[in-house]
Amino acid sequence: MSKFDEIRSFYDHEVNEALQNIARHPMMKALMQFTFPDSDEDFWLDKFKSIHSISDFQHQCISQTIRQILKQSSEGLTTSGFENLDKNTAYLFVSNHRDIVLDTSLLNLVLLDKGLIMTASAIGDNLVQKNFLHVLAKLNRNFLVQRGLSIREQLNSSKIMSEYINDLLHKENRSVWIAQREGRTKDGNDATQQGVLKMLAMASENHSLIDFFKSLKIVPLSISYEYDPTDALKMPQVMAKSKNEVYIKDENEDFKTILSGVLGQKKRIHLHAGKVLEHELDEVALTTDNKNKQLQAIAQIIDDSIIENYKLWPTNYIAFDLLNESNQYSEFYTEEEKQLFERRLEMRIDSSETVLKESFLAMYANPVVNKYKK
């Protein structure tokens, strides 16, 4: 029994049995019908028999699922920065977070196609309460971030996760994806929570903080969707926050959000892999030896990279101009693109509610504000 058993993904020798156990589940059937629309059930049931590792499952099944998602609900995926990564090196991708499933799935499709090491990826255990989703997550090399714990339990859980991530990177040469913050960004402001970095630092043991963070080979990852397929679903939480109210999720809200993210229209998508943090960390060490200030500085470096390399779409510029009743960025979009976005706004929310409309527009506009802030 390993101390990581509660959070880890499957070992390869566990994969086939786990897959066979959910092979005939209605949700697996729906997933495979979507993935292989021209094949009958025997085709994938037969395929499952020869799958004996997470890599097999990702190569033969899930990568095809993601290609279908892109084909049916996007206008294509573009990338930049990945050419600077080494094919034999494990990296820690610290990413902005827009979509529960797609952010990591798209990254791993890119890594697969470019021959880079694919990631183990963090996912909140609140998102995989249903047994089928839990098994599917573990088959996709997801590991669990435990939520809703007492402070003492949280401390212990963070320590175990920190050690697990460290083991993946250094002992298994496995890349890792982790969001820069707990939960998805609902307002378009991408900011790294210091708590995430504190959790990572728990495994540093006798190393200096800076040397430890250098050893993680952190790659800030910027992901941007021209249309956020879950934009309207994020609004109730944003509205509650604006009124200082506690937001309580519906029982099936996370599942609905996952489905909307997968099936909703995204238009164009871009992923940028930033430069590995190295000399920037040396500069932090020269500036201060206070650990909290060092963590603060590292968070800022990650933020700067994510924001600087975030691909802005016409929708971002349109939202900024609509929100500010200006034409400041009109050179970045056409009248037709503006009309399409306004139509989407009308269809997705009740635009007669001023605060709701402003919150919706701000979610798209804030990446513009943040990029040009400096």
Side-chain angles (χ1 to χ4, degrees), residues 79-94 107-108 110-112 114-119 175-177 216-222 271-278 305:
T79 65
S80 50
F82 289 90
E83 65 279 3
N84 300 318
L85 301 180
D86 178 73
K87 294 191 172 182
N88 301 310
T89 301
Y91 297 100
L92 173 61
F93 293 92
V94 179
L107 169 64
N108 276 303
V110 171
L111 297 175
L112 171 69
K114 294 185 182 298
L116 293 157
I117 295 172
M118 293 167 74
T119 70
S175 288
V176 173
W177 176 95
L216 298 178
K217 295 189 168 57
I218 294 172
V219 174
L221 185 75
S222 309
L271 260 70
H272 178 90
K275 289 181 178 162
V276 183
L277 301 194
E278 286 179 44
S305 175

Side-chain angles (χ1 to χ4, degrees), residues 9 31 34 43 53 79 107 127 140 146 164 192 196-197 237 244 247 261 278 299 305 313 317 335 344 347 360-361 370:
S9 56
L31 185 67
F34 174 82
F43 171 78
S53 68
T79 65
L107 169 64
L127 302 172
N140 272 298
Q146 296 170 310
Y164 184 61
T192 303
V196 172
L197 301 182
Q237 199 165 342
N244 285 323
Y247 179 73
E278 286 179 44
S305 175
W313 301 107
Y317 293 114
E335 193 54 39
R344 179 182 175 84
M347 286 168 65
F360 186 92
L361 289 173
N370 293 332

Side-chain angles (χ1 to χ4, degrees), residues 271-332:
L271 260 70
H272 178 90
K275 289 181 178 162
V276 183
L277 301 194
E278 286 179 44
H279 69 87
E280 300 92 338
L281 298 176
D282 291 329
E283 285 170 21
V284 170
L286 292 172
T287 310
T288 178
D289 54 10
N290 177 293
K291 280 193 177 180
N292 268 337
K293 286 184 177 170
Q294 287 183 342
L295 289 171
Q296 219 172 338
I298 294 167
Q300 191 60 56
I301 291 163
I302 293 168
D303 290 353
D304 289 348
S305 175
I306 288 173
I307 290 164
E308 184 188 337
N309 296 306
Y310 185 96
K311 169 89 172 168
L312 292 172
W313 301 107
T315 47
N316 301 114
Y317 293 114
I318 292 163
F320 180 94
D321 279 353
L322 288 173
L323 189 60
N324 294 284
E325 297 178 346
S326 75
N327 293 311
Q328 189 175 339
Y329 293 110
S330 58
E331 66 190 281
F332 294 108

Side-chain angles (χ1 to χ4, degrees), residues 149-260:
L149 302 174
S150 69
I151 290 174
R152 179 180 283 184
E153 289 170 330
Q154 180 64 56
L155 199 65
N156 187 47
S157 174
S158 294
K159 192 169 187 320
I160 288 170
M161 186 160 65
S162 178
E163 288 174 23
Y164 184 61
I165 290 170
N166 200 41
D167 270 22
L168 287 168
L169 289 165
H170 294 122
K171 291 184 182 171
E172 295 187 29
N173 201 39
R174 168 64 55 197
S175 288
V176 173
W177 176 95
I178 192 165
Q180 66 180 161
R181 42 165 291 145
E182 183 180 326
R184 292 164 300 136
T185 306
K186 312 291 193 306
D187 59 6
N189 287 315
D190 295 313
T192 303
Q193 287 174 341
Q194 228 172 296
V196 172
L197 301 182
K198 277 183 179 168
M199 178 276 293
L200 291 170
M202 284 179 164
S204 62
E205 294 179 336
N206 302 323
H207 298 281
S208 78
L209 194 70
I210 296 301
D211 285 344
F212 177 72
F213 273 93
K214 280 172 81 172
S215 80
L216 298 178
K217 295 189 168 57
I218 294 172
V219 174
L221 185 75
S222 309
I223 180 160
S224 64
Y225 300 85
E226 189 166 9
Y227 280 165
D228 181 338
T230 60
D231 48 17
L233 295 175
K234 291 175 178 176
M235 286 303 103
Q237 199 165 342
V238 171
M239 294 298 286
K241 190 178 174 185
S242 72
K243 297 173 187 169
N244 285 323
E245 294 172 357
V246 175
Y247 179 73
I248 297 164
K249 286 183 182 179
D250 271 359
E251 191 186 342
N252 286 317
E253 186 171 328
D254 288 327
F255 187 59
K256 281 183 205 158
T257 301
I258 289 170
L259 279 183
S260 298

Side-chain angles (χ1 to χ4, degrees), residues 44-76:
W44 66 78
L45 288 176
D46 216 39
K47 190 182 270 290
F48 288 173
K49 289 174 190 167
S50 63
I51 289 174
H52 293 277
S53 68
I54 289 178
S55 180
D56 288 348
F57 185 60
Q58 289 181 317
H59 280 71
Q60 294 180 43
C61 298
I62 294 302
S63 62
Q64 302 310 314
T65 309
I66 306 309
R67 291 188 210 283
Q68 278 292 344
I69 291 168
L70 287 171
K71 185 177 165 188
Q72 295 193 26
S73 65
S74 84
E75 290 178 13

Side-chain angles (χ1 to χ4, degrees), residues 263-277:
L263 301 173
Q265 178 52 240
K266 294 161 267 290
K267 289 194 84 176
R268 292 171 290 182
I269 309 163
H270 189 80
L271 260 70
H272 178 90
K275 289 181 178 162
V276 183
L277 301 194

